[in-house]
Amino acid sequence: MAKVECPMMAFGTNALKTLTRSEEKQLQIINAAKKVFLEKGFDIASMDMIAAEAGVSKRTVYSHYQSKENLFASIMNDLCASKRGEIIDETEMDACDLLPKDKSVEETLTIFGNIFLTYIYDPEVLAMLRIMIGQADKFPEIGESFYNQGPVMTQNMLTAYFEHTNGTGETKFQDTCIAAKSFISSLLGPNHLKCMFGAKPPSEKEIKEHVDQVVSLFTSCC
């Protein structure tokens, strides 16, 4: 099983990378698999269908991804990497540095909240998450890896940011980890669960209004 690596949501820019021939083929397969999984569901989707959609041989698909589960894990990684908003290379940075320090806490949390919810409510992300949850009993390692590399890393980033703001006196959280969890939970609220059950995702305007309300309430208590 391939590990699902999901970089943290962050702020900045990411230079376009020139793909190798092998990487182009992988992207071609990933895009085809995503389409097949969304249209057919995980159980019905097959490597034959994916190969046909990608216009490659089944051998080529298996040479890149040894199983359907492995391929699905890679798709979740691709969604994390391509749908989370503005991305920077965080490999050489401390988690705290992923959030801007030259803005007020209110401004930073507003930026974070809007990018976070825009990613969370992307229809494709919601659809793939539903599939992943549906397969949780069969392949719990996919969900566990995605959770650890996505939500947990985002939570750690926000925790590190609150540790910084505590240090500067901008906030006075007794437990920065609980503060980070609370803020993210407030952003999600009941709306995310409704969307997971098929409700229509909120509009950009609705997301902005919700983020403003959460940030206003949160900063008034910190």
Side-chain angles (χ1 to χ4, degrees), residues 1 33-47 49-50 67-73 75-76 127-128 130-136 138-139 142:
M1 169 63 64
K34 193 186 304 179
K35 185 174 186 292
V36 172
F37 280 128
L38 289 174
E39 290 181 353
K40 304 295 184 180
F42 184 88
D43 290 329
I44 296 177
S46 68
M47 296 296 255
M49 291 178 184
I50 293 166
S67 67
K68 185 169 71 170
E69 295 75 34
N70 194 318
L71 179 50
F72 183 77
I75 290 176
M76 298 310 296
M128 294 304 294
R130 291 187 193 108
I131 293 175
M132 184 173 66
I133 291 171
Q135 299 301 316
K138 293 181 182 178
F139 312 108
I142 295 181

Side-chain angles (χ1 to χ4, degrees), residues 38-126:
L38 289 174
E39 290 181 353
K40 304 295 184 180
F42 184 88
D43 290 329
I44 296 177
S46 68
M47 296 296 255
D48 284 313
M49 291 178 184
I50 293 166
E53 181 66 34
V56 300
S57 68
K58 186 164 68 172
R59 174 181 289 185
T60 299
V61 176
Y62 274 106
S63 70
H64 288 282
Y65 307 98
Q66 294 69 45
S67 67
K68 185 169 71 170
E69 295 75 34
N70 194 318
L71 179 50
F72 183 77
S74 295
I75 290 176
M76 298 310 296
N77 172 54
D78 177 70
L79 282 178
C80 251
S82 64
K83 297 290 187 181
R84 64 183 179 267
E86 296 180 295
I87 305 302
I88 61 175
D89 180 6
E90 71 275 8
T91 55
E92 298 181 357
M93 302 179 68
D94 291 332
C96 182
D97 292 328
L98 296 175
L99 289 168
K101 297 178 181 178
D102 59 344
K103 300 180 184 296
S104 68
V105 174
E106 184 175 1
E107 289 176 306
T108 297
L109 293 182
T110 299
I111 295 170
F112 172 88
N114 279 287
I115 292 178
F116 177 74
L117 290 187
T118 298
Y119 163 72
I120 288 295
Y121 288 126
D122 182 279
E124 192 173 71
V125 172
L126 287 170

Side-chain angles (χ1 to χ4, degrees), residues 132-201:
M132 184 173 66
I133 291 171
Q135 299 301 316
D137 288 341
K138 293 181 182 178
F139 312 108
E141 62 272 25
I142 295 181
E144 182 180 3
S145 183
F146 179 86
Y147 178 76
N148 289 334
Q149 296 298 319
V152 170
M153 288 180 71
T154 301
Q155 175 190 304
N156 290 344
M157 174 185 67
L158 196 55
T159 298
Y161 173 71
F162 286 151
E163 289 174 356
H164 165 73
T165 56
N166 266 6
T168 61
E170 296 173 272
T171 57
K172 297 180 180 179
F173 296 118
Q174 291 185 346
D175 189 318
T176 54
C177 182
I178 291 178
K181 290 179 181 178
S182 298
F183 183 68
I184 292 172
S185 295
S186 296
L187 284 175
L188 293 173
N191 290 331
H192 183 247
L193 186 59
K194 289 180 181 179
C195 289
M196 289 301 293
F197 285 131
K200 181 181 178 181

